[in-house]
Each structure stands twice: as C-alpha cells, then as structure tokens.
Amino acid sequence: MSHAAPARPVRADQVTRWDWDTDVAIVGFGASGACAAIEAAEAGAKVMLLEAGAGSGGASAWSGGEIYFGGGTEVQKSAGFNDTAEALESYLMMAGGPDADAEKVRLYARNSVAHFEWIKAQGVPYKGNYLPGKIIEPADDGTLIWSGSEEAWPFYETSSPAPRGHVIQFMGWGGGRKLVDILEARVRAMGVDIRVNAYVENLIADAEGAVVGLVVRIDNEQKYLRSKKGVVLCTGGFCMNSEMLKRYTPEVLRCNSPIGERDDGSGIMMGMAVGADAIHMDEFFVTCPWIIPESFAKGVFVNSRGNRFINEDCYHGRVSRAILDQPGDKAYLLLDSEIFAQPLDLARISVAGTGDTWEEVEQELGMPEGTLSSTMRTYNRYAVEGEDPVFRKRLPWLKPLNVAPYAAVELNVRSSFFSFFTLGGLRTKSTGEVLDRAGERIPGLFAAGRAACGLPRWGAGYSSGMSLADCTFFGRLAGRAAAGAASN
Amino acid sequence: MSHAAPARPVRADQVTRWDWDTDVAIVGFGASGACAAIEAAEAGAKVMLLEAGAGSGGASAWSGGEIYFGGGTEVQKSAGFNDTAEALESYLMMAGGPDADAEKVRLYARNSVAHFEWIKAQGVPYKGNYLPGKIIEPADDGTLIWSGSEEAWPFYETSSPAPRGHVIQFMGWGGGRKLVDILEARVRAMGVDIRVNAYVENLIADAEGAVVGLVVRIDNEQKYLRSKKGVVLCTGGFCMNSEMLKRYTPEVLRCNSPIGERDDGSGIMMGMAVGADAIHMDEFFVTCPWIIPESFAKGVFVNSRGNRFINEDCYHGRVSRAILDQPGDKAYLLLDSEIFAQPLDLARISVAGTGDTWEEVEQELGMPEGTLSSTMRTYNRYAVEGEDPVFRKRLPWLKPLNVAPYAAVELNVRSSFFSFFTLGGLRTKSTGEVLDRAGERIPGLFAAGRAACGLPRWGAGYSSGMSLADCTFFGRLAGRAAAGAASN
C-alpha cells in the first residue's frame, strides 16, 4: 500500500493552523460518499468531499450499477411480483448470517421502496422491465433481475422470493460508472466543495476523543481541515491492501481479482485509531462468474473428492464462497452435452476432463473409483423424478446429466477469475455513527459503505446489489446525521 | 460480562495519585502471567502480578497440563523418536495456517528443548515414559503422547512426525491445576507482589501513547498502579464474553462449553484501546472428545448428506473444527460391531441410527438412498486393501466397517460437549511487544498467552499442548522484555 495506516489520530492541540473549515467532511467519492454529501448538503450543511483518486468512482464505478431494492417497488409490481417489506427483511436477515444487524435490516426493508424513489429522483434512470432467468447483469438496458439466492434453498423456505436486483438503464455491463456520474452531478449541483487527488492521511481528535477534523495530503502538502459537525468515512473496504488481508482475511489471499479502485482500508484503520470497533473483518464476498452461460446452473458442482457441496441454483457468489472452502483450491462443474457450452475466456476456467460415462470422467480427473460416479448416479436417479433430496436444487435448474459425452470444467481458486471485496468494517449504528468497543459513539465520526460493516456482512449470504443498497441508503443516513451535528 | 470493556485508556495527566509503584505489572495469573513474572523478577525487576480471580489458574488450570515440546527432548529420545527443530518448525508452520507467524515458530522450534528444561527446572515433574496410541490425556501419570495431527494427512507429507505432547506427571486428567500451582510457588519464591481479586479496569497511557500504568479495582476501590518498565497482559482470550464472540467469532456461539476461567477478553480490549492491532479474531479451537474410546478413530465421519469430510485419524480438534462447517450443525460417526462402544456420557453424543446394512442406517437417519450407503461402499472397497484414496486416512485407523450390525453416533454442535477457546488476539512480536496497526510497538505494553495471537492461530491446525507451549515460552520472553525496559 502506498500509505502507512495511522495507528493514532493527530491531536487537535498539536494542530497549529486550520487551512480549511467545513461542517461536514466526507472522505471518499464512491456511491456512499456521494449520497452522504447530497443529504448533508440538503440538510443545510457546508460540505467538503475529499477523494484520493482523480475523480469520483470508487468500487461503485466498477460495479454493474445494480441496487437491491424490494418490498414492492413499482418495477416489481408491474412485473407481477408481490414483494413485501417483511419478505425483504427476512431475506436480508438470512443473508446477514449469524450476526445480521437486525436494526439496519429492518430500517432498510421498511424504507427500500422510498429509497428507490429517492435514487430515481437523483436522476438515475430505470427502463422498468423485468428480465427472467439467471443472469449476472443484463446484456441490454433492462431493469429487474433475480440477483440473489431468493428462490434457492434454504432461502425460499423462510422468505417469500422476489427478484430485487434493480439495474440502472445502461446498455450492457458496467452501469456503475453511470450511476456514480449521475450522483456526482447531483453532488455538484448542491454546491459541495469537491477536492480530488486529496488523500486523507489521518483523523484529528480532541482531548476527549471526538473527531474534529482531518489531515489531507493534496498537491504534496498537508492541509488541516476542521469539520465542525462531523467526518463521514466512505473509503471502502480493504480488498486492495494485502497486509490487511493477510492479518484479517487470509483465506481470500488466494484470489486474484479485487473489486476496488483504491480500497486500501485507510478509513477502517483511521477509525480504529480513534477507538472504533471493527467487526467481521474475516468476511468477504467472492465470485467466479461461472453461470455464464446460464445453462451452467443446470450442471453439478463437485469438489476434488467427487462430492457435491451446494445447491447449484443459488447465487453465484454463494456458490463461489463454498468453492473457497473445498480442498485443493478447486471445484469441478459437471456438464452433459445438452447444456455444454464453452466457458467465457474471462472466467479463466477450462475443461479438465471428459468422458462418455461419468466413470470415465472420474478416471480422467484422477478421482478414486466410486466417488464422482456414485455422486452422479444418485443425482441422476433423483433428478429424473424432479427431486434433489440432498441439496434441494429446484426446477428448472434441476435436470439429469445423462446426455453423453460429459465434461468437467475446473474452477481454480488461484487461477480462475475469482473477484472479491471485503465485508468487515467499522461498527456503526444505522445513522452511520461509529461505535467504539464499549458500544459508545465516537463524537464527530460517521462511516458508510464498505468502510462500515453493514447489511452485507456474511460472504455466504451476499446477493448482487446488496452492497450498493447499503452504500446508498446508509450513506444518505450518515450524511444526514453528520449534518445534524451531535445528533441522537 | 461483568465489566464493560474500556474503549480508551485513562490519560496519565488525569491521574491525581499513584497508589502503587512497580517496574513490571503483569495482568493475569495463568501460565503466561506466571512465566512472565518469574522471568521479569529473575531479570531484577520489581514485579506486581494482578489477578481478577481469587487465586492463580486461568484457563491453564482447566487444561491437562500438557505442553507441545519437540525438536528432540530427552523424553522423545528415550522413546526412540528422532525429532528435530526443523520437523517441529515445519509442523508448526502448517498448524499456524495461512498466516502462521514464521518468526515465533522458528524461535520456538529452536528453543523448545531448552524451554522443556526450563519448565522442569521450575519443579514441573515428568515421569518420562511414552504412551503409544491415540489418547486425549493419559489416564495415568505418563508423559509423552501423540497430541496432534502429526501422523495424519496432510501433515506427515511435509513434516516428519513425532509425538510432542509432554504431560505433567499427574494421575489422571486435569494436570493443568498442578502445573500452575508449581509455577505459582516459583513466582512466590521470587518475591513477586501478588494481588488477587484485583480486576484491571484499564490501562493508563501518557500523551505519547506509551502505557505507564494500570487502573485496578480491588476491595471495591480504584487503585492507580504506575509501571515504570512495562505492563504484560496475560488475561487470556474472550471465550467467555458472548458480546465479543458475537462480533468477532459468531460461528462458535453455537457451542456450549468455553474453556476458560474468566476469559472475558479484557486484555485484548484494553490493548486495542491504546491502538493495538488484534488479528485473526475469528479463529478458535474447538473439540468434542469423540475419540473416546480410541477405537472411534477407526470409524467414519459423514455429514447429514452422507459425505465424508475429513480423514478421521487426525487430531480431534481438527475433526471437530471441520464438523462445525458441516450443514445442519451435526455429523455422524459410523461404527461397526467390531469397534462399537458406548460413548462417554460426558460427550453428550448418542446413537442416532442402527442397521444390519449401511442402507438401513442411511434410511434410519432419513438420508436419501444412495448417499451414505455409496460412501460406505467406496470406503470399504478401498479399506480392505488398506487404502483411503479420498481422504488418505492411514493404518492402523483405517479398517473396513463391515461387521454388522452398524451404528451411527450423532455429534451435535449445539448439544454435544463441544468445548472451545479463542485464538485471535493482540498482534505481538516474539518479545511480547504489542504492535499497533502500523506495525509499530506500543511503548510499555506487552502481551502473552491467548490475549495475544501466537503460535496457535488457526482452528484447523490446533494440537493439544500448543497453547500452553505458547503461553509459557512467550510469557517468559514477554516478562524478560518488559523487565528490560524500553528493550529492542
């Protein structure tokens, strides 16, 4: 990393000059920072937004611009889905894992429809149509997609399924850049003072531990910025800081494609340096885009022992997270001739074995006799009856793999395209107020997006659009709370 | 927890009186604290040792008093084992997982024999004999046992196996209490000032962030202790702090038997409050004593899908850690009549299904046809030839399970006896010097034992005696370094 993480804040009584003054200082110009800035400015605060890069973007700009909205948006309704806040809440609770944040989940579930309206009011366009099937991002400019594990076991048992991925109107992949551009225009229209190539090196804290400003490096000079009402850290996670990954998330070091812009964890580190708690630092989202083409979801995943390990019809990030737990850093996707297609080059996955019988494939992969072949015998026996009693995979993805020849595609954790970002971060209230390890708020400090631990905090539960939902919604709340000074 | 964790240290300039003065203050009177006190006193320092409980003990007193020594101790040699420092080092590196501490591992491996001599010199007795087989702790007062996964795959491939668990001479289980008693006697003989029922509430730090003392609650009064040379945190992990478990280690909340005395994580929290880094906070040791009786290691573990998931001949803590990752919070140990025995009541595990064929057992457990039975068919086919190509289980533990009737014993993560303790803690150098998140030492602060992240830091690699090895050896180094003032 280019900057050493500060272990302690700068003390206010050692600051000899204040170069700048503002009410609210926002660090990081991705979606979280943009939404925080809009709300803080709307609340009447003077806002300064500092971005380490040359312009807005962050990891948000590398996304598909898809946001996880539910509870009955107009798009969901016109597509005939009767989603409710309760269903959204129960899904998000499951997706949040063993320490889901019930308060944040409830708040988001109840306000998701209104938040969708707010996002549209910022100028973000949606075509408004529904795209059925299993897709990562629309190939066209369509809107509503199934972006998680809603229809898959065990989620559908607890939460009534609905598609909730709402994708910005944008032709093809990568609408995240457009999303941030639109938010940036709003930020500019609100008169926010934006500084780019401005790297925040540290927080400034007073004798009582309250955050009162920032040290900013810009044009190779240190500037001291006083923030009268608050600092909002929107600096993202730490997927691009290998030192932090080693210490907190060593499992993901094997993967090669961090999704980030300059996600060096500096906000998390600066927050911890003033006493903030950081939680679930070991959790991460990971995915290999194996469901391209869609028919691959009809395949069967086995590990190198020939055992299945997950229902293949759940979200690709959930499948990928399970792959990381398999022995030997790899898994095989088994396909028959009916569903075979050449994998995208992008995925860096390739055919590792073929055969006219599953016994031949087993042998070609070097697996002991009676492993993969037994697995497939059992799978096929039930699949012809439309059942998967072992993993509860469902129709239409459940089909017997019995049309020879057969193939096994290898997904390798170390060499295939496994992209990832981190989910652990500063412990915050729904308002974005950062909490210390005693559960007390740190005056003057707020955080949102992946610098905080938010709705997505469990790799096995992640669904596409969940991080942007969290970034935009809780970014807004943090901006509003920071502008309201000491707040609740 | 009875005490709220402090999020910030007390500032030295706000301390109006110093009730006590010492050179080195040691917090916690388990094995780490005792060893730190002995070495600090031996180095000529005035030492005060503070213990929250009514007497010495800590989690060490709940242990079997077994220490992981290797590299060629006299006990190993007289039993005919040719262990080397290199073999010990490579085993500890594997056992330390993806972020093993190479420096600590090397230091311990090279000094393990000398450390064994030091422990004996404190008065700790060893009978000196070797007990073959697979045992948790000796039923008698014997010494040397296989206490890890040394002979199991994949460890034996990289590291030449040797038994390394050295158990204190003590009739039956629970020699940890005796170990601490002996160390306590040494501490007292050295003239260390011991205060019990003395709960350390917080650290005291000066304006530069150096730790200069402690706030101690004793006899319901707050005392301010000045430590001229250093504070050594030997307060243990956080297995008894459910709030911390929830935030950092939610997976283990399902287990019911923490191994600790008052391991509330207070030392880790106090350290973090002065800027210390805490690493691998999600890692823990867990075990269900399933290998009693020994013949159970000849059984086969399957999960609720009928799949095997580990070579059953590795260390019970490694098997147990894998059980926690299985679906449905449980696993089944399959036994045939040749090896069946009633499990100990202690383990709270019981027979969940029986049958004259594996198909019947499968059915009785409610598993889909062709799952467990296929697994056993494949297992048996290879086992009769002395092979386990899938999981590489080895003789003498590998045997076909083909003597009807058969039984499946259920181990349930939530209701069986799964004991655990945490492995994450303060980031330290080998000297015990505590590091902040920038990798700089925090002047005046040291930590050892499970308040630090030491040799054992990866649940899947734990071996019995590893934590006490770390506690005693690095406790000594921390005491010595603290007594040496600012040190290196």
Side-chain angles (χ1 to χ4, degrees):
Chain A
M1 59 190 296
S2 49
H3 299 263
R8 279 175 193 72
V10 168
R11 289 165 49 191
D13 60 8
Q14 297 188 337
V15 174
T16 53
R17 65 170 201 279
W18 292 104
D19 298 294
W20 301 325
D21 262 293
T22 190
D23 291 334
V24 175
I26 294 169
V27 189
F29 200 177
S32 309
C35 291
I38 294 167
E39 288 281 4
E42 207 136 71
K46 183 180 171 187
V47 181
M48 189 178 260
L49 201 170
L50 305 138
E51 164 58 39
S56 72
S60 306
W62 291 96
S63 78
E66 174 184 353
I67 304 181
Y68 200 83
F69 292 117
T73 66
E74 58 174 9
V75 181
Q76 289 180 311
K77 282 179 185 161
S78 72
F81 293 99
N82 182 31
D83 195 17
T84 63
E86 290 69 30
L88 174 56
E89 182 174 347
S90 59
Y91 184 77
L92 291 174
M93 283 304 292
M94 288 185 83
D99 186 38
D101 187 326
E103 185 189 314
K104 283 181 187 164
V105 163
R106 186 168 307 119
L107 199 65
Y108 184 71
R110 291 178 185 179
N111 291 280
S112 185
V113 171
H115 181 53
F116 181 47
E117 295 304 316
W118 184 89
I119 288 285
K120 286 191 292 180
Q122 306 313 302
V124 180
Y126 292 93
K127 186 170 181 180
N129 62 325
Y130 165 62
L131 301 170
K134 216 167 174 45
I135 43 183
I136 299 184
E137 291 178 29
D140 63 7
D141 62 345
T143 302
L144 185 64
I145 64 171
W146 292 94
S147 71
S149 302
E150 299 85 359
E151 292 192 300
W153 185 85
F155 296 91
Y156 70 80
E157 287 190 332
T158 300
S159 175
S160 181
R164 301 195 181 101
H166 288 64
V167 186
I168 186 171
Q169 185 167 16
F170 179 83
M171 194 52 71
W173 287 33
R177 180 67 259 174
K178 180 176 175 182
L179 174 69
V180 180
D181 284 342
I182 291 168
L183 293 173
E184 175 176 351
R186 279 288 293 156
V187 171
R188 292 192 180 278
M190 299 294 297
V192 169
D193 184 359
I194 300 167
R195 309 288 175 112
V196 298
N197 295 126
Y199 191 82
V200 173
E201 295 190 328
N202 209 345
L203 302 175
I204 301 170
D206 70 14
E208 280 68 47
V211 172
V212 297
L214 297 171
V215 183
V216 187
R217 176 161 289 275
I218 188 167
D219 296 335
N220 218 22
E221 278 179 28
Q222 276 181 330
K223 297 286 188 182
Y224 293 84
L225 165 60
R226 178 154 48 195
S227 57
K228 293 198 194 101
K229 295 188 165 181
V231 165
V232 189
L233 297 170
C234 299
T235 45
F238 56 96
C239 65
M240 308 186 87
N241 182 328
S242 56
E243 266 304 306
M244 285 181 74
L245 292 176
K246 192 160 179 290
R247 276 183 271 153
Y248 306 123
T249 322
E251 288 300 330
V252 87
L253 278 172
R254 295 172 291 164
C255 303
N256 43 51
S257 301
I259 304 175
E261 176 61 30
R262 43 178 73 230
D263 295 68
D264 64 359
S266 59
I268 296 172
M269 287 298 201
M270 289 189 290
M272 291 177 86
V274 294
D277 200 3
I279 61 176
H280 303 305
M281 293 287 280
D282 57 308
E283 288 290 337
F284 55 89
F285 160 76
V286 65
T287 197
C288 180
W290 58 268
I291 65 165
I292 318 165
E294 179 183 31
S295 61
F296 278 15
K298 294 180 177 168
V300 165
F301 265 107
V302 294
N303 60 24
S304 54
R305 293 166 185 150
N307 288 332
R308 288 177 75 203
F309 52 88
I310 196 145
N311 42 332
E312 295 82 358
D313 57 343
C314 59
Y315 173 61
H316 53 85
R318 183 170 162 83
V319 173
S320 298
R321 184 64 192 80
I323 290 173
L324 259 74
D325 289 335
Q326 301 311 309
D329 293 334
K330 64 185 172 186
Y332 298 103
L333 177 60
L334 307 180
L335 304 167
D336 73 0
S337 295
E338 202 171 274
I339 58 172
F340 182 81
Q342 204 59 43
L344 280 192
D345 286 347
L346 170 69
R348 299 197 292 271
I349 63 184
S350 54
V351 174
T354 57
D356 285 323
T357 61
W358 286 117
E359 283 75 9
E360 283 179 31
V361 175
E362 174 180 271
Q363 198 174 13
E364 204 163 311
L365 295 177
M367 291 183 187
E369 196 184 322
T371 52
L372 180 148
S373 57
S374 293
T375 298
M376 287 313 299
R377 196 173 312 119
T378 300
Y379 179 83
N380 280 338
R381 183 201 315 168
Y382 287 103
V384 294
E385 295 162 22
E387 280 177 49
D388 174 17
V390 185
F391 284 88
R392 310 200 215 175
K393 184 177 179 175
R394 299 171 92 189
L395 295 166
W397 312 111
L398 180 65
K399 84 154 210 96
L401 300 186
N402 51 16
V403 184
Y406 305 113
V409 171
E410 180 181 325
L411 280 76
N412 189 293
V413 170
R414 293 179 187 271
S415 58
S416 301
F417 183 92
F418 275 88
S419 53
F420 67 97
F421 55 83
T422 58
L423 298 177
L426 299 173
R427 184 178 164 207
T428 57
K429 292 174 66 172
S430 297
T431 51
E433 292 167 295
V434 174
L435 301 178
D436 66 22
R437 283 176 293 273
E440 301 295 322
R441 58 185 294 268
I442 294 169
L445 190 63
F446 303 80
R450 293 291 59 76
C453 189
L455 296 176
R457 54 173 61 195
W458 185 52
Y462 193 82
S463 303
S464 273
M466 213 176 260
S467 187
L468 271 184
D470 179 85
C471 287
T472 54
F473 184 74
F474 292 100
R476 292 177 60 200
L477 295 196
R480 213 182 294 162
S487 101
N488 42 336
Chain B
M1 61 190 293
S2 49
H3 299 263
R8 278 175 195 71
V10 169
R11 290 167 46 191
D13 60 9
Q14 297 188 338
V15 173
T16 53
R17 65 168 202 280
W18 293 105
D19 298 294
W20 301 323
D21 263 292
T22 190
D23 291 334
V24 175
I26 294 169
V27 189
F29 199 176
S32 309
C35 291
I38 293 167
E39 288 282 3
E42 208 135 72
K46 182 178 170 188
V47 181
M48 189 179 256
L49 201 170
L50 304 137
E51 164 58 41
S56 72
S60 306
W62 291 97
S63 78
E66 175 183 353
I67 304 181
Y68 201 84
F69 292 116
T73 66
E74 57 175 10
V75 180
Q76 289 180 312
K77 283 179 183 160
S78 72
F81 293 99
N82 183 31
D83 196 17
T84 63
E86 291 68 31
L88 173 57
E89 182 174 346
S90 59
Y91 184 77
L92 291 174
M93 282 305 290
M94 288 185 84
D99 186 37
D101 187 327
E103 186 190 316
K104 284 181 186 165
V105 163
R106 185 167 310 118
L107 200 64
Y108 185 71
R110 291 178 185 180
N111 291 280
S112 186
V113 170
H115 181 52
F116 181 48
E117 295 303 316
W118 184 89
I119 287 285
K120 286 192 291 180
Q122 307 312 302
V124 179
Y126 291 92
K127 186 170 180 178
N129 61 324
Y130 164 62
L131 301 169
K134 218 170 173 44
I135 44 183
I136 298 184
E137 292 178 26
D140 62 8
D141 62 346
T143 302
L144 184 64
I145 64 172
W146 292 93
S147 71
S149 302
E150 298 85 359
E151 292 192 301
W153 186 85
F155 296 91
Y156 71 80
E157 286 190 334
T158 300
S159 175
S160 181
R164 301 194 182 102
H166 289 63
V167 186
I168 186 171
Q169 185 167 16
F170 179 81
M171 193 52 73
W173 287 33
R177 179 68 258 175
K178 179 175 175 183
L179 174 68
V180 180
D181 284 343
I182 291 167
L183 294 173
E184 175 176 350
R186 278 288 295 157
V187 172
R188 290 192 181 279
M190 300 293 298
V192 170
D193 183 359
I194 300 167
R195 309 290 174 112
V196 297
N197 295 127
Y199 191 84
V200 173
E201 295 189 329
N202 209 345
L203 302 175
I204 300 171
D206 70 14
E208 280 68 47
V211 172
V212 297
L214 298 170
V215 183
V216 187
R217 177 160 287 277
I218 188 167
D219 296 335
N220 218 22
E221 277 180 28
Q222 276 180 331
K223 298 284 189 185
Y224 293 84
L225 165 60
R226 178 154 47 196
S227 56
K228 292 199 198 103
K229 295 188 165 180
V231 165
V232 189
L233 297 170
C234 299
T235 44
F238 56 96
C239 65
M240 308 186 89
N241 182 329
S242 57
E243 266 305 305
M244 285 181 74
L245 292 177
K246 192 161 178 293
R247 276 183 271 152
Y248 306 122
T249 322
E251 288 300 329
V252 86
L253 278 171
R254 296 171 291 164
C255 303
N256 44 51
S257 301
I259 302 176
E261 175 64 29
R262 44 179 72 231
D263 294 68
D264 65 359
S266 59
I268 297 172
M269 287 297 202
M270 289 189 289
M272 291 177 87
V274 294
D277 200 3
I279 61 176
H280 304 304
M281 292 288 280
D282 57 307
E283 288 291 336
F284 55 90
F285 161 75
V286 64
T287 196
C288 180
W290 58 268
I291 64 163
I292 320 166
E294 179 182 32
S295 61
F296 277 17
K298 294 181 178 168
V300 165
F301 265 106
V302 294
N303 61 22
S304 53
R305 293 166 184 150
N307 287 333
R308 289 177 76 202
F309 52 89
I310 196 146
N311 42 333
E312 296 82 0
D313 57 344
C314 58
Y315 174 60
H316 53 85
R318 183 168 161 86
V319 174
S320 298
R321 184 63 192 80
I323 292 174
L324 258 72
D325 289 335
Q326 301 309 309
D329 293 335
K330 63 185 172 188
Y332 298 103
L333 177 59
L334 307 180
L335 304 167
D336 73 359
S337 294
E338 202 169 277
I339 57 171
F340 183 81
Q342 203 61 40
L344 279 193
D345 285 349
L346 170 70
R348 300 197 293 271
I349 63 183
S350 53
V351 174
T354 56
D356 285 322
T357 63
W358 286 116
E359 284 75 9
E360 283 179 31
V361 175
E362 174 181 270
Q363 199 174 13
E364 204 164 311
L365 295 177
M367 289 182 186
E369 197 185 320
T371 51
L372 180 149
S373 56
S374 294
T375 298
M376 287 312 300
R377 195 173 312 120
T378 301
Y379 179 82
N380 280 338
R381 183 201 316 167
Y382 287 104
V384 294
E385 295 162 23
E387 280 179 47
D388 174 17
V390 186
F391 285 88
R392 310 200 213 174
K393 184 177 180 174
R394 299 172 92 188
L395 293 167
W397 312 112
L398 180 65
K399 84 156 209 93
L401 300 185
N402 52 14
V403 184
Y406 305 113
V409 171
E410 180 181 325
L411 280 76
N412 189 294
V413 170
R414 293 180 187 271
S415 58
S416 301
F417 184 90
F418 275 88
S419 52
F420 68 97
F421 55 82
T422 58
L423 298 177
L426 299 173
R427 184 178 163 207
T428 55
K429 291 174 66 172
S430 297
T431 51
E433 292 167 294
V434 174
L435 301 178
D436 66 22
R437 283 177 292 273
E440 300 295 321
R441 58 185 295 266
I442 295 170
L445 190 63
F446 302 80
R450 294 290 59 76
C453 190
L455 296 177
R457 54 172 60 196
W458 187 52
Y462 193 81
S463 302
S464 272
M466 213 175 260
S467 187
L468 271 183
D470 179 84
C471 287
T472 53
F473 183 74
F474 292 100
R476 291 177 60 199
L477 295 196
R480 212 182 296 163
S487 99
N488 40 336

